[in-house]
């Protein structure tokens, strides 16, 4: 009898504690399956629980919905980035440190304010250890830049220039071969060493295009505390005298580490009007420029022909059949998506649409493009970057960082695939 009373009491206490826990739970707790009632969860939803939130849209049968979750940067972000001097910025290129379990996101030209005033840096890198993006990005800090800049980690290797604002006529370039800014185009962490590809921009034009001298690389072996140039790696797009360099198709480079042991580099010319070319190198030879080989062509049976080193670059220069994706492409990002079971390429297409292409292999064949978001949803949009850790359900839901020129800040977009 005493055992029965004890058992009943235990059941009652357990039930009471469960009720109390539920009553005390914050309905906005991001660990819930639908923290704000919007249909957006933290990745624990079942297919039956998935709902399409009000205010979302879709432009493709492959996409269940796209939802703009607000700004990821600036004063109106979930965590204001102005505390680190990031009031106005663009791009947002992620890389991940598995040891620290930390996501870094690198931005382009950065100002104190969204109106492009105050202190200017060529780039800035913020980080977070919180990989739940259902309530925005919970920024925790910024990497310290090199002196005299507060945030940028890339050097200006020719004549140093300064900038007052971002107007097209406001560059103070002291010589014809001066570099006006050094903007990151892709980042990667290889066995704990961080590598950042960046373009040396000569000048912008009124058409929105720009000139690039070269795409270069800096690295950090101490978790971003210090950065040094990898002098062996440089893809020269434009010589100082204005003549074409050896690698005009790699003025902007985005790297991807694949499971086959290679690091692939996806290249586009300066601006947003070119097609995509491809190089690759075994990871252990990453810093050996002559070890890189470049996609030249593909046979009828699908066999890819690669051309190696500097000779390979010369062989594909200006060769349209060496494009893996035709023009016009801008600010691209390539990742592998387990849910889609494909490599995915996000890029600005025809200066009007963030497009998605898919492929079984890193080199293609790439599918036709699907529209993710257009100028109709975000005016002046460009750039779309993500990382595998910025997803749930093995990539069914993906978070994209998309820039808006007018607001000069970065949106966080939630994309859910069918």
């Amino acid at each position: 009898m005493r055992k029965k009373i004890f058992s009943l009491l235990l059941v009652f206490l357990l039930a009471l504690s469960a009720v109390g826990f539920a009553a005390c739970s914050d309905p906005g707790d991001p660990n819930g399956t639908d923290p704000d009632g919007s249909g957006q969860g933290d990745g624990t939803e079942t297919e039956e629980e998935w709902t399409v939130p009000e205010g979302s849209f879709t432009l493709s049968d492959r996409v269940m919905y796209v939802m703009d979750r607000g700004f990821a940067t600036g004063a109106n972000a979930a965590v204001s980035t102005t505390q680190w001097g990031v009031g106005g910025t663009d791009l947002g290129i992620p890389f991940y440190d598995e040891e620290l379990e930390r996501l870094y996101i690198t931005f382009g030209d950065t100002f104190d304010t969204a109106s492009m005033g105050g202190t200017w840096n060529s780039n800035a890198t913020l980080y977070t250890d919180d990989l739940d993006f259902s309530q925005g990005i919970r920024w925790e800090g910024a990497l310290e830049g090199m002196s005299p800049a507060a945030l940028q980690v890339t050097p200006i290797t020719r004549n140093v220039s300064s900038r007052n604002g971002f107007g097209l006529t406001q560059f103070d370039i002291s010589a014809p071969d001066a570099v006006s800014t050094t903007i990151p185009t892709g980042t990667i962490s290889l066995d704990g060493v961080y590598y950042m590809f960046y373009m040396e921009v000569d000048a912008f034009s009124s058409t929105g295009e720009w000139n690039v001298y070269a795409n270069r690389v800096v690295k950090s072996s101490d978790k971003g505390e210090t950065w040094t140039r990898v002098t062996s790696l440089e893809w020269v797009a434009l010589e100082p005298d204005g003549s074409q360099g050896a690698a005009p198709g790699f003025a902007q480079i985005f790297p991807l580490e694949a499971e086959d042991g290679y690091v692939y580099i996806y290249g586009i010319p300066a601006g947003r009007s070119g097609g995509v070319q491809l190089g690759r190198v075994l990871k252990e030879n990453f810093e050996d420029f002559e070890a890189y080989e470049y996609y030249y062509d593909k046979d009828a049976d699908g066999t890819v022909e690669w051309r190696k080193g500097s000779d390979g670059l010369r062989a594909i220069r200006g060769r349209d059949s060496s494009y893996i994706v035709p023009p016009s492409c801008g600010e691209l990002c390539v990742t592998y998506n387990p849910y889609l079971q494909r490599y995915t390429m996000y890029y600005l297409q025809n200066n009007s649409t963030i497009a998605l292409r898919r492929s079984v292999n890193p080199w293609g064949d790439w599918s036709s493009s699907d529209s993710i978001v257009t100028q109709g949803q975000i005016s002046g949009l460009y750039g779309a970057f993500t990382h595998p850790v910025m997803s749930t359900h093995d990539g069914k839901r993906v978070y994209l960082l998309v820039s808006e020129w007018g607001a000069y800040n970065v949106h966080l977009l939630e994309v859910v695939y069918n």
Side-chain angles (χ1 to χ4, degrees), residues 259-312:
E259 292 185 353
D260 59 5
Y262 283 92
V263 176
Y264 289 83
I265 57 169
Y266 296 82
I268 55 176
R272 296 171 177 149
S273 300
V276 183
Q277 292 187 310
L278 179 65
R280 70 176 187 178
V281 68
L282 289 171
K283 185 171 74 169
E284 57 265 31
N285 298 328
F286 182 80
E287 295 188 20
D288 182 353
F289 185 78
E290 293 300 327
Y292 284 74
E293 55 185 11
Y294 300 91
Y295 181 101
Y296 181 78
D297 215 333
K298 187 164 55 176
D299 296 339
D301 63 358
T303 302
V304 176
E305 181 180 354
W306 301 88
R307 298 288 181 93
K308 194 171 183 179
S310 298
D311 290 340

Side-chain angles (χ1 to χ4, degrees), residues 21-349:
F21 177 80
C24 293
S25 295
D26 180 355
D29 183 353
N31 292 321
T33 57
D34 189 13
D36 59 3
S38 65
Q40 178 197 32
D42 68 339
T44 62
E45 308 96 319
T46 65
E47 292 294 330
E48 292 75 18
E49 293 172 326
W50 214 297
T51 59
V52 176
E54 184 179 352
S56 64
F57 61 90
T58 181
L59 306 175
S60 168
D61 291 341
R62 300 185 186 278
V63 178
M64 180 184 296
Y65 69 82
V66 178
M67 186 70 182
D68 186 351
R69 293 297 176 181
F71 285 109
T73 59
N76 296 320
V79 172
S80 173
T81 60
T82 58
Q83 61 190 299
W84 298 289
V86 182
T89 192
D90 69 347
L91 304 181
I93 304 167
F95 64 100
Y96 184 67
D97 187 312
E98 292 185 355
E99 180 184 355
L100 296 179
E101 297 183 333
R102 173 169 291 174
L103 179 71
Y104 296 90
I105 298 180
T106 299
F107 300 95
D109 281 308
T110 299
F111 299 86
D112 288 336
T113 68
S115 59
M116 301 178 185
T119 302
W120 160 66
N121 284 266
S122 281
N123 48 78
T125 301
L126 303 178
Y127 63 82
T128 181
D129 298 338
D130 186 347
L131 300 182
D132 175 10
F133 304 106
S134 61
Q135 302 298 296
I137 300 179
R138 316 304 295 186
W139 301 110
E140 297 172 42
L143 289 182
E144 183 177 347
M146 60 177 60
S147 180
L151 295 170
Q152 74 184 53
V153 301
T154 56
I156 293 181
T157 52
R158 288 190 174 88
N159 298 304
V160 176
S161 63
S162 61
R163 187 183 303 179
N164 177 19
F166 201 77
L168 296 173
T169 62
Q170 291 180 317
F171 292 114
D172 177 18
I173 300 176
S174 57
D177 63 346
V179 174
S180 61
T181 187
T182 52
I183 300 176
T185 61
T187 49
I188 193 169
S189 176
L190 299 176
D191 298 328
V193 179
Y194 307 162
Y195 292 92
M196 182 183 297
F197 291 78
Y198 65 96
M199 58 178 173
E200 290 183 325
V201 179
D202 168 5
F204 294 87
S205 74
S206 58
T207 62
E209 297 295 298
W210 53 87
N211 295 328
V212 171
Y213 285 118
N215 199 283
R216 304 182 190 274
V217 181
V218 288
K219 76 172 183 179
S220 175
S221 301
D222 55 9
K223 306 300 184 185
E225 291 291 324
T226 59
W227 296 78
T228 58
R229 262 201 62 201
V230 183
T231 56
S232 59
L233 297 180
E234 60 175 17
W235 286 263
V236 178
L238 186 69
E239 299 291 351
D241 63 4
S243 62
Q244 189 181 67
F250 290 85
Q252 300 171 80
I253 293 174
F254 187 91
L256 168 73
E257 183 181 5
E259 292 185 353
D260 59 5
Y262 283 92
V263 176
Y264 289 83
I265 57 169
Y266 296 82
I268 55 176
R272 296 171 177 149
S273 300
V276 183
Q277 292 187 310
L278 179 65
R280 70 176 187 178
V281 68
L282 289 171
K283 185 171 74 169
E284 57 265 31
N285 298 328
F286 182 80
E287 295 188 20
D288 182 353
F289 185 78
E290 293 300 327
Y292 284 74
E293 55 185 11
Y294 300 91
Y295 181 101
Y296 181 78
D297 215 333
K298 187 164 55 176
D299 296 339
D301 63 358
T303 302
V304 176
E305 181 180 354
W306 301 88
R307 298 288 181 93
K308 194 171 183 179
S310 298
D311 290 340
L313 273 175
R314 282 190 289 270
I316 68 170
R317 185 172 58 181
R319 190 173 188 273
D320 290 352
S321 57
S322 293
Y323 288 144
I324 62 170
V325 173
S328 64
C329 304
E331 293 112 354
L332 58 85
C333 168
V334 182
T335 66
Y336 184 76
N337 186 304
Y339 178 78
L340 299 176
Q341 297 183 22
R342 295 291 188 274
Y343 289 92
T344 55
M345 179 185 294
Y346 299 92
Y347 65 98
L348 181 65
Q349 181 174 265

Side-chain angles (χ1 to χ4, degrees), residues 330-377:
E331 293 112 354
L332 58 85
C333 168
V334 182
T335 66
Y336 184 76
N337 186 304
Y339 178 78
L340 299 176
Q341 297 183 22
R342 295 291 188 274
Y343 289 92
T344 55
M345 179 185 294
Y346 299 92
Y347 65 98
L348 181 65
Q349 181 174 265
N350 299 326
N351 217 26
S352 63
T353 302
I354 298 301
L356 165 72
R357 290 182 187 254
R358 295 156 288 105
S359 173
V360 173
N361 299 304
W363 54 85
D365 291 339
W366 290 89
S367 69
S368 59
S369 62
D370 292 295
S371 296
I372 300 298
V373 58
T374 71
Q375 300 278 2
Q377 290 79 42

